Amino acid sequence: MHPRSRLKRTDFSHRSRVTKVQKKSWNGSFRKVFSHPKKKLLYFFSIIFIILIIIPPATYLYFANDLKSKDSVMNRQETGLTLLDRNGQPFYTFDLAKSISYIPVTDIPDSTQHALVAAEDRTFYTDPGFSVTGIARAFLADIFARKVVQGGSTITQELAKNAFLSSSQNVFRKYQELVLAAELNRRFSKQDILELYLNSVYFGEGAFGIQNAAQTYFGIPAKDLDLAQSALLIGVLPAPSVYSPLSNSPDLALQRQKIVLQAMATNEYITQAQADQAESETLAYNTNKTPTDDLVAPHFAQYIRNQLIKQYGEEKVVRDGFRVTTTMDRKLQEYAEKSVTQQINNLRYDHAGNGAAVALNPKNGQILAMVGSYDWTDPKFGQTNMAVTPRQPGSSFKPIIYGRALDDHIITPATVLQDVATTFPGNYKPHDYDFRYRGNVTVRRALANSLNIPAVEVMEKVGVPNGIDEAKKLGITTLNSATNYGLSFVLGSGEVQLLQMTDVYATFADQGVYHDTTGVIQIQDKYGNTVAAPADFFSFLMYLNPLNWFGSGGNHNNQQVISPEAAYLITSILSDNNARAEEFGGALTLNRTAAVKTGTTDNFKDALTLGYTPSLVVGVWVGNNDDKPMDNIAGSLGAAPIWRNIMEYYLASKPIEQFSMPSSILTEDVCPYGPYTRGYMEYFINGTQPDSCGQPTGAPTATITPTSGPTPTNQPGTTATPDPQPTATPLPQPTATPVQSLPTSTLPLPTVQ
């Protein structure tokens, strides 16, 4: 080859090597820059700075045409909240806006204008459209509260947000708000801005603007509002759904009115004497408020609305015109409402006044039905949602403690407990519901037949603090510290929501996986855009907050909170028709395998039934809102018929399912009462099974010493019987038992389409 050719090739190769070396060097330098914490922070803030420079002109250009006149600023879009069932059919609406009746500022009383400025933005007449100190104060408050607790917005900023922007909480939207507020302040006079704001702000009850608000709350035009009425209307602005005197106690609105009047006096818009006189005025509210005709799932609808307002804020929910596809199964909801109403009517002579029911999909926590009372229109308590009102759950709480004991290998289903007169620490002497004692009983028999004394024994082994911890892991949020409960905790002495208790049973049904309950599938705004969860900038703020660097607790949604083995053993016991037949007969059986547990509190104040299959869990409560006792109505008599009806209705057209047994569950023949007694087959978590027909290894028998003294007298009509041999036959696939009709339930069970 010619030397020049070799030279050229050599030079070319050299350049290639140099290029590769340079690229490698540049890539390495790039990685080094972005791997250095300080440089990463510098680049991050540089990008933020560039974005902040771009936002003002971009925002101005985008909204320029909408800033030309007062009419273009007004937001006249359709608003309100519409709820749809899981099939997309509307079933409930809230806050649908009336046509905005625009009035000039000259028709708005001075008392209304002054009340707004004094209460919401006292520097309104002097600020440039925004308040730097207000923004800083709100920023710090939100950081340390770990959520949005202050907006820091002026009246002009609120107008900009309402007219042009979404209500999402992020720093870039807030920056746009400042830009638009400054431009509004430049283009319009302060009186024009007051006029625009008071004609567009949401006062609740579907009323946008002061004219509609005056007519809705007092039945008069805005120009006739006096000082007391003006102060009350301005007072409800921060949270109309909470403070509206038409939907809530007027006392809350009057408290807000007093705050506004004092702010007006402090800022010298009125004298203290005028404030006192206005405060003493008796207001006459508009009694012609049209009641809603929406009576399908009203408690569920209110529950969803409250959740949305808590998450997004009322202003955003209403003004953005949310259309929410919920998880509700409309046919099941309507059937559940009828079932609760009929059963409560059947129990009138037994002094049962109310009932509630919840149905969940245990695989994802979706709420399929929620009945909060037997009749929404009942004037005394019909609108109180007993599905989310804490009540004592009675013995339905026991599986939580038994589940913890099984999970910790403290007991097995074959462990022998003592159902005898026993004095526990603190001189606590529980008794069973029938005042009988059965002597030695297995865990299976004790839980299946809801025996109290053995349950307290298990509670002592587990420990109350561990029991509370277990309940919280399973989603219960209404319990206080361990010092507020004793060993009676296992018997349901703590108050819990029916919704949360039903979710506990859903966790057992889904093999120990916990799912947060949810009633929402999708949220769209009035333009058809999907609404995202409100995280954005505040997620970043929470990361910066030093209070969060040491852990913020535990959201354990979709996590394994109890082992699949312990969940299966609880399910095995609660679905064992033979084991519970001793006390319940066939009252809790379905035409398929189902796990079920009842609960009854002292003096029959509360009666519950909760149960599940692999694809449905239903919880039912029957009682009285005022805690008056019923006449001997236990969970198996009061709540079970409703539970059974709902379960059968929903599952009628569904295939029969069996609970899945974990591979680490073993079966062994056991003789829990000794080697010379009759044995039976029992389930065990691998490692806790017995070596032979005798006591299981790792699960000792009870050691509590019975107290001496006379045995309590049996209840009238109850005859003490000898301790029967265990009859439990644990079943991964129990034989279906024919449905037995219940005298208190006559609803038909049509096939679900």
Side-chain angles (χ1 to χ4, degrees):
M1 183 177 292
H2 194 278
R4 186 175 295 178
S5 300
R6 287 199 302 270
L7 179 60
K8 289 181 178 180
R9 183 181 299 125
T10 302
D11 290 344
F12 180 78
S13 300
H14 175 70
R15 288 196 302 269
S16 299
R17 287 196 300 270
V18 169
T19 303
K20 290 179 180 178
V21 169
Q22 288 175 339
K23 286 182 178 180
K24 184 176 181 181
S25 176
W26 294 337
N27 290 338
S29 300
F30 186 80
R31 285 195 297 269
K32 285 181 181 179
V33 167
F34 281 92
S35 64
H36 195 287
K38 290 184 178 179
K39 291 183 178 180
K40 286 174 71 175
L41 197 61
L42 177 62
Y43 276 97
F44 172 78
F45 282 109
S46 297
I47 292 171
I48 295 295
F49 181 72
I50 293 172
I51 292 174
L52 294 181
I53 292 176
I54 294 173
I55 283 179
T59 300
Y60 176 81
L61 291 173
Y62 185 82
F63 292 108
N65 288 333
D66 296 323
L67 289 165
K68 291 180 177 179
S69 66
K70 287 191 289 185
D71 187 62
S72 65
V73 172
M74 289 295 297
N75 180 8
R76 297 177 180 271
Q77 301 296 329
E78 181 183 358
T79 55
L81 170 62
T82 301
L83 301 182
L84 301 87
D85 64 22
R86 66 186 304 110
N87 295 317
Q89 297 301 311
F91 71 91
Y92 216 103
T93 58
F94 292 98
D95 306 316
L96 293 183
K98 305 174 178 67
S99 298
I100 296 177
S101 301
Y102 194 97
I103 58 175
V105 71
T106 53
D107 285 347
I108 301 175
D110 289 343
S111 62
T112 306
Q113 299 178 45
H114 295 160
L116 175 66
V117 173
E120 300 295 325
D121 185 6
R122 58 188 179 84
T123 63
F124 170 73
Y125 288 107
T126 58
D127 65 41
F130 57 88
S131 170
V132 175
T133 56
I135 294 170
R137 183 173 59 252
F139 182 86
L140 293 175
D142 294 343
I143 284 289
F144 287 99
R146 308 186 186 191
K147 60 181 180 179
V148 180
V149 294
Q150 290 188 22
S153 296
T154 63
I155 290 173
T156 313
Q157 286 176 252
E158 285 293 311
L159 174 62
K161 180 188 71 175
N162 294 342
F164 304 108
L165 304 172
S166 71
S167 301
S168 61
Q169 294 287 349
N170 65 70
V171 68
F172 301 117
R173 190 212 56 80
K174 196 73 175 176
Y175 190 41
Q176 283 185 302
E177 180 184 298
L178 295 180
V179 172
L180 290 170
E183 185 61 19
L184 284 172
N185 193 72
R186 186 183 72 84
R187 286 177 177 254
F188 299 102
S189 70
K190 291 293 184 179
Q191 288 301 99
D192 286 339
I193 291 173
L194 276 182
E195 179 181 302
L196 288 166
Y197 181 80
L198 282 170
N199 274 290
S200 62
V201 68
Y202 182 61
F203 285 89
E205 305 294 346
F208 282 84
I210 190 64
Q211 180 76 347
N212 288 343
Q215 293 169 343
T216 298
Y217 285 93
F218 300 112
I220 59 175
K223 64 183 179 61
D224 293 337
L225 290 170
D226 64 16
L227 175 59
Q229 293 167 330
S230 295
L232 185 133
L233 289 179
I234 299 303
V236 305
L237 283 178
S241 63
V242 176
Y243 300 128
S244 167
L246 303 185
S247 298
N248 307 287
S249 170
D251 292 342
L252 294 174
L254 293 175
Q255 290 173 15
R256 290 289 307 164
Q257 179 203 50
K258 181 177 180 180
I259 293 173
V260 174
L261 289 170
Q262 289 305 311
M264 294 178 72
T266 300
N267 288 276
E268 299 182 349
Y269 287 111
I270 58 174
T271 66
Q272 188 60 50
Q274 289 174 312
D276 294 339
Q277 181 179 357
E279 186 180 339
S280 65
E281 181 180 327
T282 301
L283 296 177
Y285 301 109
N286 182 12
T287 58
N288 295 322
K289 180 176 179 286
T290 304
T292 179
D293 294 327
D294 295 307
L295 292 179
V296 177
H299 288 107
F300 177 69
Q302 291 285 351
Y303 172 80
I304 295 299
R305 179 175 183 259
N306 292 339
Q307 294 291 312
L308 292 170
I309 289 174
K310 181 179 179 181
Q311 187 174 18
Y312 295 95
E314 184 177 7
E315 179 75 17
K316 179 176 177 62
V317 171
V318 176
R319 189 174 291 279
D320 287 6
F322 275 21
R323 289 179 62 84
V324 181
T325 302
T326 71
T327 58
M328 188 193 75
D329 183 311
R330 185 163 185 162
K331 290 184 178 180
L332 181 63
Q333 174 70 34
E334 293 174 343
Y335 185 80
E337 290 175 1
K338 293 176 183 177
S339 186
V340 170
T341 299
Q342 179 174 308
Q343 177 67 347
I344 297 305
N345 289 333
N346 290 339
L347 296 175
R348 286 295 179 196
Y349 293 107
D350 297 303
H351 299 102
N354 203 5
V358 172
L360 302 176
N361 182 339
K363 301 179 188 299
N364 53 27
Q366 290 187 358
I367 302 171
L368 302 176
M370 176 187 285
V371 183
S373 71
Y374 88 103
D375 183 3
W376 168 265
T377 64
D378 186 293
K380 294 182 179 179
F381 54 78
Q383 296 185 24
T384 300
N385 189 349
M386 296 306 293
V388 294
T389 300
R391 302 284 292 204
Q392 289 188 348
S395 291
S396 66
F397 197 82
K398 290 174 182 174
I400 296 175
I401 306 304
Y402 276 92
R404 178 62 178 260
L406 290 166
D407 222 354
D408 291 347
H409 298 181
I410 296 173
I411 61 173
T412 75
T415 297
V416 175
L417 305 171
Q418 293 180 328
D419 186 26
V420 295
T422 307
T423 299
F424 291 92
N427 200 35
Y428 178 47
K429 301 177 181 180
H431 58 77
D432 292 335
Y433 55 88
D434 59 2
F435 292 91
R436 291 170 48 203
Y437 300 115
R438 296 157 180 80
N440 290 338
V441 294
T442 63
V443 163
R444 179 174 290 274
R445 183 183 174 197
L447 179 56
N449 291 282
S450 200
L451 304 180
N452 289 339
I453 299 171
V456 175
E457 182 182 336
V458 174
M459 181 77 266
E460 187 179 42
K461 293 173 182 293
V462 170
V464 174
N466 288 333
I468 294 177
D469 176 69
E470 187 72 6
K472 290 181 177 179
K473 283 198 306 181
L474 289 165
I476 294 177
T477 62
T478 55
L479 300 174
N480 297 318
S481 66
T483 56
N484 293 328
Y485 306 102
L487 293 177
S488 63
F489 183 65
V490 69
L491 307 182
S493 60
E495 293 188 340
V496 301
Q497 297 178 5
L498 177 64
L499 177 62
Q500 292 184 353
M501 276 301 298
T502 307
D503 200 23
V504 168
Y505 281 70
T507 302
F508 291 134
D510 199 28
Q511 304 180 70
V513 177
Y514 170 80
H515 303 283
D516 283 332
T517 55
T518 179
V520 174
I521 295 175
Q522 184 185 52
I523 304 173
Q524 293 182 315
D525 62 18
K526 58 195 172 188
Y527 304 110
N529 301 317
T530 299
V531 178
D536 301 329
F537 179 60
F538 277 90
S539 297
F540 176 66
L541 295 187
M542 293 305 102
Y543 172 76
L544 292 180
N545 188 352
L547 297 176
N548 284 334
W549 294 349
F550 303 99
S552 59
N555 175 11
H556 49 274
N557 187 33
N558 301 323
Q559 292 185 11
Q560 194 85 43
V561 296
I562 182 173
S563 71
E565 295 81 9
Y568 178 79
L569 293 179
I570 290 294
T571 297
S572 170
I573 294 171
L574 297 185
S575 62
D576 191 339
N577 292 330
N578 292 333
R580 65 167 169 257
E582 178 183 343
E583 296 300 332
F584 296 103
L588 301 178
T589 59
L590 299 180
N591 61 355
R592 64 183 68 207
T593 303
V596 58
K597 184 74 185 72
T598 63
T600 308
T601 58
D602 289 344
N603 300 319
F604 300 98
K605 292 181 179 179
D606 304 271
L608 298 93
T609 298
L610 298 105
Y612 54 91
T613 65
S615 60
L616 179 68
V617 56
V618 173
V620 178
W621 169 86
V622 168
N624 292 295
N625 290 44
D626 58 4
D627 281 335
K628 288 183 179 178
M630 299 176 288
D631 291 346
N632 299 318
I633 298 299
S636 58
L637 296 176
I642 301 173
W643 171 82
R644 189 168 169 273
N645 277 337
I646 296 173
M647 294 287 291
E648 290 283 9
Y649 176 82
Y650 183 80
L651 297 170
S653 63
K654 304 293 191 297
I656 293 178
E657 300 175 279
Q658 302 297 337
F659 296 103
S660 177
M661 184 173 72
S663 59
S664 51
I665 292 289
L666 305 177
T667 58
E668 294 288 345
D669 290 331
V670 294
C671 303
Y673 300 110
Y676 301 107
T677 59
R678 190 177 73 178
Y680 69 97
M681 186 189 72
E682 184 57 273
Y683 291 113
F684 297 93
I685 300 173
N686 191 11
T688 67
Q689 68 271 24
D691 294 327
S692 60
C693 191
Q695 291 300 329
T697 59
T701 57
T703 57
I704 296 176
T705 304
T707 58
S708 59
T711 300
T713 305
N714 293 326
Q715 285 185 325
T718 302
T719 304
T721 58
D723 181 32
Q725 292 294 327
T727 58
T729 306
L731 304 167
Q733 296 182 346
T735 303
T737 304
V739 177
Q740 301 179 15
S741 60
L742 299 176
T744 56
S745 177
T746 58
L747 282 176
L749 301 173
T751 301
V752 179
Q753 298 299 323

